[in-house]
């Protein structure tokens, strides 16, 4: 899923669960996109095909983007929750990261056992790449609208 | 006429979406949270039943999708109700990897335990 959608979707969910103030937005944005940094080496290596097809599959995801990464990041966050006094902000960061995994799992193709196995998993919410683009665009617009309305109401 | 059938992975995905929606109500409306969370557990049961049917029984990717959806559901839930559940979730994450690679099943039913705990907590909550 695109970076913008991750930020907008996580903002909506976090604001409904915890409520957000202005300083939280940077935390939400950072922890919504931080997982996608692992795509950079793949994009640099396959720049032409990524630009041509506007798509990179599950092979662009490193182990940090899969189940083992989720376990290790959760371990880091659980230590942070024990050490840091402002538990709310750690919980917001953790939730943003977890929701990133959830969205990628629901929308794209993933390899949860990577690097131990390359078995690919797909949820079958759409059947063609065109449907995926439409779904992604539509969802981004909807959550963009929610974000815009929540900012207007402030 | 042929009945339309959903893929077990799609049902696992719906269950996961229900978990995400349920946590929205975790603090403000415990009753609605319980209702939606129960629906997500029901979707999970249905997925498990479907993947053990003749049509899907030998498909490893379906089992993997089911287990991954379970772990992600736990992660969403325990990012809110973190103590001591987040620690148990981490153990469960590595148990899932171990179970799949060793072709064994040693996984804690954490969401089901949490569901019972949450209801008990609200029934026996002191006024």
């Amino acid at each position: 899923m695109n970076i913008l959608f991750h930020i907008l979707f996580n903002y909506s969910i976090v604001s409904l669960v915890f409520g957000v103030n202005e300083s939280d937005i940077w935390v939400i944005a950072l922890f919504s996109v931080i997982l996608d940094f692992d795509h950079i080496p793949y994009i640099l290596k396959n720049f032409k095909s990524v630009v041509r097809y506007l798509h990179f599959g599950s092979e662009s995801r490193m182990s940090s983007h899969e189940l083992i990464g989720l376990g290790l990041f959760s371990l880091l966050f659980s230590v942070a929750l024990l050490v840091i006094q402002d538990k709310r902000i750690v919980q917001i960061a953790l939730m943003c990261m977890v929701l990133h995994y959830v969205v990628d799992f629901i929308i794209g193709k993933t390899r949860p056992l990577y690097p131990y196995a390359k078995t690919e998993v797909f949820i079958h919410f759409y059947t063609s790449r065109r449907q995926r683009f439409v779904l992604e665009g539509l969802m981004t617009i909807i959550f963009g609208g929610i974000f815009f309305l929540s900012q207007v109401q402030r | 006429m042929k009945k339309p059938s959903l893929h077990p992975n799609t049902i696992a995905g719906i269950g996961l979406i229900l978990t995400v929606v349920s946590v929205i109500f975790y603090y403000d409306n415990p009753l609605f949270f319980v209702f939606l969370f129960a629906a997500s557990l029901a979707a999970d049961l249905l997925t498990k039943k479907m993947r053990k049917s003749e049509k899907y029984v030998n498909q490893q990717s379906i089992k993997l999708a089911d287990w991954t959806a379970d772990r992600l559901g736990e992660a969403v839930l325990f990012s809110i109700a973190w103590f001591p559940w987040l620690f148990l979730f981490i153990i469960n994450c590595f148990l899932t990897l171990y179970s799949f690679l060793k072709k064994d099943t040693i996984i804690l039913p954490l969401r089901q335990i949490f569901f019972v705990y949450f209801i008990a907590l609200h029934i026996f909550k002191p006024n």
Side-chain angles (χ1 to χ4, degrees), chain A residues 22-90:
Chain A
E22 268 181 35
S23 60
D24 298 334
I25 292 176
W26 296 107
V27 176
I28 293 169
L30 176 67
F31 285 92
S32 297
V33 301
I34 204 166
L35 273 178
D36 276 341
F37 289 168
D38 71 342
H39 291 316
I40 293 170
Y42 179 86
I43 294 171
L44 292 175
K45 204 175 166 188
N46 304 280
F47 189 72
K48 276 184 184 167
S49 73
V50 170
V51 169
R52 191 170 174 192
Y53 299 110
L54 291 173
H55 174 77
F56 34 91
S58 61
E59 65 276 6
S60 66
R61 297 158 61 95
M62 289 182 177
S63 48
S64 61
H65 225 123
E66 305 296 356
L67 206 54
I68 192 158
L70 175 65
L72 291 173
F73 279 124
S74 301
L75 191 63
L76 283 177
F77 275 104
S78 61
V79 173
L81 277 164
L82 290 175
V83 175
I84 297 172
Q85 271 201 330
D86 186 3
K87 304 212 185 306
R88 182 183 161 276
I89 204 75
V90 182

Side-chain angles (χ1 to χ4, degrees), chain A:
Chain A
M1 209 58 163
N2 66 68
I3 286 173
L4 187 62
F5 175 80
H6 279 299
I7 297 171
L8 295 170
F9 177 75
N10 289 357
Y11 174 86
S12 306
I13 300 291
V14 166
S15 64
L16 286 168
V17 176
F18 298 103
V20 285
N21 47 50
E22 268 181 35
S23 60
D24 298 334
I25 292 176
W26 296 107
V27 176
I28 293 169
L30 176 67
F31 285 92
S32 297
V33 301
I34 204 166
L35 273 178
D36 276 341
F37 289 168
D38 71 342
H39 291 316
I40 293 170
Y42 179 86
I43 294 171
L44 292 175
K45 204 175 166 188
N46 304 280
F47 189 72
K48 276 184 184 167
S49 73
V50 170
V51 169
R52 191 170 174 192
Y53 299 110
L54 291 173
H55 174 77
F56 34 91
S58 61
E59 65 276 6
S60 66
R61 297 158 61 95
M62 289 182 177
S63 48
S64 61
H65 225 123
E66 305 296 356
L67 206 54
I68 192 158
L70 175 65
L72 291 173
F73 279 124
S74 301
L75 191 63
L76 283 177
F77 275 104
S78 61
V79 173
L81 277 164
L82 290 175
V83 175
I84 297 172
Q85 271 201 330
D86 186 3
K87 304 212 185 306
R88 182 183 161 276
I89 204 75
V90 182
Q91 280 183 292
I92 288 175
L94 172 62
M95 182 170 245
C96 288
M97 208 164 224
V98 167
L99 287 174
H100 188 122
Y101 284 103
V102 170
V103 168
D104 280 0
F105 177 73
I106 289 172
I107 301 295
K109 289 181 179 172
T110 57
R111 297 179 296 177
L113 297 177
Y114 188 79
Y116 304 109
K118 291 182 178 176
T119 315
E120 205 169 57
V121 161
F122 177 51
I123 293 298
H124 298 273
F125 273 138
Y126 53 87
T127 50
S128 65
R129 198 175 282 179
R130 179 183 281 192
Q131 280 182 8
R132 189 209 155 121
F133 274 121
V134 171
L135 180 71
E136 197 168 331
L138 216 65
M139 297 290 275
T140 308
I141 292 167
I142 289 169
F143 282 97
I146 293 171
F147 178 79
F148 177 74
L149 288 175
S150 70
Q151 293 302 306
V152 168
Q153 271 192 339
R154 283 189 172 202

Side-chain angles (χ1 to χ4, degrees), chain A residues 74 91 105 112-113 122-123 125, chain B residues 9-10 68 79-80 82 89 100:
Chain A
S74 301
Q91 280 183 292
F105 177 73
L113 297 177
F122 177 51
I123 293 298
F125 273 138
Chain B
N9 287 7
T10 311
T68 310
S79 61
I80 299 177
W82 70 276
F89 158 71
F100 219 94

Side-chain angles (χ1 to χ4, degrees), chain B residues 24-90:
Chain B
I24 292 169
F25 302 98
Y26 181 81
Y27 288 121
D28 298 332
N29 195 338
L31 195 66
F32 209 50
F33 165 74
V34 166
F35 172 72
L36 286 168
F37 191 46
S40 82
L41 291 178
D44 184 42
L45 270 179
L46 189 61
T47 312
K48 283 181 176 42
K49 195 182 167 194
M50 275 181 84
R51 79 168 164 83
K52 282 170 187 163
S53 69
E54 233 175 81
K55 191 176 173 186
Y56 301 112
V57 74
N58 288 323
Q59 293 189 24
Q60 289 296 295
S61 69
I62 292 178
K63 186 180 177 184
L64 183 58
D66 180 26
W67 284 3
T68 310
D70 288 352
R71 294 300 79 74
L72 289 171
E74 286 168 5
V76 172
L77 188 63
F78 303 144
S79 61
I80 299 177
W82 70 276
F83 190 82
W85 302 96
L86 191 59
F87 301 96
L88 296 170
F89 158 71
I90 294 162

